[in-house]
Amino acid sequence: MSTDVQKTTAKAIPSTRRVTISDSAHMPHDYSTTPGGTLFSTTPGGTRIIYDRKFLLECRSSPVTKTPPKGLPVIPGVTSPPSGDPTEKTQNGELLNNNNIPAPEGSNTGDDSQFEMDI
Amino acid sequence: MTQVFFHFAVCFPTKSSLKDDDSGDHDQDQGSPKDSEKEKTEDEDKEQNSSKKKMVVPGAGEHPLQYNYTFWYSRRTPGRPASTQSYEQNIKQIGSFASVEQFWRFYSHMIRPGDLTGHSDFHLFKEGIKPMWEDDANKMGGKWIIRLRKGLASRCWENLILAMLGEQFMVGEEICGAVVSVRFQEDIISIWNKTASDQATTARIRDTLRRVLNLPPNTIMEYKTHTDSIKYVLISYIKTCRIVSV
């Protein structure tokens, strides 16, 4: 990312930015979905795919997440139960690591168990 | 001494095979994975991968991410020096993903960092960027570090990586990846960016961290450049070393 635009500190999105386009492939596909949408045409680097926390958490309940990815390496205590621990299984799509957080539906609203923050 | 020099002699040239282009289309690291334990988990998507360089693509109906990312795991053998040579040998790729759903698929089948034992780290970096200082994307970079008392790591790590995957930082191509480090008395989370000298970027990353992490009051955040980290290691292990513009 170039820094020649502005030397501001924590400003929002730069309102003016010159970007040299040398190839049509550098053009974003969509310039104008910002109002009410999630794409910002003036983000440094061009259009971005932006998701907020709440939306990402909602995707957690997708069926595809229930089974381990193919080729997930077996690392005892990390991607599989610690060796010798017979209580948990990774087979049959059972989740092994979510024992201390609420079910995905419960955590969708996000801030339920957030601790407080002081800026 | 030989260990560190060996590292620099060997690792810098191999890193040149890692391309760090700004298109966001990061090359897969096809260069030199010396780690024979490295698992290739991207194979399942090969059939969908026609001419694109990316090994992993979003499945039908899935929500694509701005970048592909790779999960890594490392665990340091107690008592061994933290030279990057042993670091590279200790680090394992868990797998890469291209969509929100694929991310959850990995995440839901990995232990949460707060439940890790020993001296362990999870790393989540853009595909093609190794979680090492010496990677081309990292060598001019630095990281924000937040030290957490025990019990906070899982929640903070989740918030951190969700913000990264969702492009909440708004710093263009600057973000490289994030790390959670489980240590004896505290845990550390950090987020790495490409250009340590870019103060507008580092300030925006800091402000976003404060916004997304829900940090307890009086949490201290510090920014460290990777060159400082490298110097620290060199000074620690080679007392007479003259550092020539690392």
Side-chain angles (χ1 to χ4, degrees):
Chain A
M1 188 180 109
S2 71
T3 59
D4 55 346
V5 188
Q6 289 158 314
K7 285 291 180 186
T8 54
T9 49
K11 211 173 166 182
I13 299 169
S15 56
T16 306
R17 179 180 170 81
R18 286 177 201 281
V19 179
T20 308
I21 303 291
S22 54
D23 188 298
S24 63
H26 296 153
M27 300 289 281
H29 297 296
D30 193 347
Y31 285 105
S32 54
T33 42
T34 303
T38 56
L39 298 177
F40 293 84
S41 62
T42 53
T43 308
T47 308
R48 322 289 291 180
I49 304 172
I50 294 170
Y51 301 111
D52 65 17
R53 178 173 180 274
K54 182 173 179 291
F55 178 82
L56 292 171
L57 287 168
E58 284 165 4
C59 293
R60 185 173 204 170
S61 51
S62 160
V64 72
T65 67
K66 303 292 186 258
T67 52
K70 239 183 267 177
L72 182 72
V74 175
I75 308 174
V78 180
T79 59
S80 62
S83 46
D85 181 354
T87 58
E88 288 186 304
K89 291 180 177 176
T90 54
Q91 303 303 316
N92 308 320
E94 192 175 342
L95 306 184
L96 66 85
N97 68 317
N98 297 319
N99 42 9
N100 53 1
I101 59 165
E105 297 77 30
S107 60
N108 280 352
T109 50
D111 295 324
D112 45 359
S113 58
Q114 297 275 323
F115 30 80
E116 293 191 352
M117 172 167 117
D118 183 16
I119 297 180
Chain B
M1 190 161 185
T2 48
Q3 197 173 23
V4 177
F5 278 133
F6 173 70
H7 161 67
F8 276 93
V10 171
C11 288
F12 269 118
T14 58
K15 291 306 174 332
S16 62
S17 64
L18 281 179
K19 208 175 101 189
D20 176 34
D21 73 35
D22 269 350
S23 67
D25 191 10
H26 293 282
D27 279 357
Q28 183 70 11
D29 175 19
Q30 293 159 331
S32 57
K34 287 171 291 203
D35 188 348
S36 59
E37 292 175 297
K38 200 165 277 190
E39 299 274 349
K40 289 289 176 198
T41 58
E42 301 87 356
D43 291 352
E44 59 176 303
D45 288 305
K46 247 179 193 166
E47 62 273 7
Q48 307 170 40
N49 181 30
S50 49
S51 61
K52 287 185 78 178
K53 287 187 234 167
K54 283 178 183 171
M55 299 294 284
V56 194
V57 296
E62 295 179 355
H63 296 86
L65 294 166
Q66 177 72 39
Y67 299 97
N68 286 9
Y69 290 85
T70 304
F71 265 121
W72 305 71
Y73 168 74
S74 63
R75 182 184 171 89
R76 190 163 295 155
T77 314
R80 285 183 64 186
S83 82
T84 324
Q85 185 67 29
S86 61
Y87 175 75
E88 188 166 17
Q89 288 163 349
N90 282 341
I91 193 161
K92 287 181 180 167
Q93 267 190 48
I94 293 176
S96 300
F97 56 86
S99 71
V100 179
E101 288 78 5
Q102 289 169 359
F103 158 72
W104 284 119
R105 206 176 180 190
F106 278 101
Y107 186 83
S108 300
H109 294 88
M110 291 160 57
I111 199 169
R112 307 189 91 212
D115 299 327
L116 283 172
T117 56
H119 197 283
S120 320
D121 304 75
F122 277 131
H123 317 252
L124 182 60
F125 273 69
K126 286 178 182 167
E127 192 177 53
I129 301 180
K130 284 189 184 179
M132 304 176 71
W133 303 325
E134 301 85 345
D135 192 283
D136 279 346
N138 294 323
K139 61 187 180 189
M140 301 301 291
K143 57 186 173 184
W144 278 106
I145 298 172
I146 301 168
R147 298 171 188 278
L148 302 167
R149 62 179 163 80
K150 286 290 181 182
L152 300 180
S154 295
R155 169 70 72 173
C156 285
W157 171 243
E158 184 173 295
N159 286 341
L160 174 63
I161 61 178
L162 291 183
M164 181 173 76
L165 300 177
E167 287 290 320
Q168 295 290 315
F169 286 94
M170 308 295 275
V171 288
E173 316 284 332
E174 271 287 318
I175 301 292
C176 297
V179 184
V180 58
S181 305
V182 175
R183 296 297 180 261
F184 179 52
Q185 287 181 316
E186 63 179 4
D187 301 320
I188 302 165
I189 57 171
S190 56
I191 183 157
W192 295 27
N193 75 297
K194 276 184 191 168
T195 318
S197 59
D198 182 348
Q199 291 184 5
T201 288
T202 57
R204 184 176 288 185
I205 295 170
R206 179 201 58 213
D207 295 343
T208 309
L209 284 173
R210 285 189 176 149
R211 177 168 62 83
V212 301
L213 285 186
N214 284 293
L215 292 170
N218 66 44
T219 303
I220 296 168
M221 304 174 65
E222 58 179 307
Y223 192 82
K224 244 188 192 174
T225 67
H226 296 320
T227 49
D228 283 347
S229 302
I230 292 169
K231 284 173 190 167
Y232 175 78
V233 169
L234 284 171
I235 291 164
S236 302
Y237 292 99
I238 313 171
K239 299 216 169 67
T240 57
C241 176
R242 286 179 56 210
I243 300 157
V244 187
S245 64
V246 180

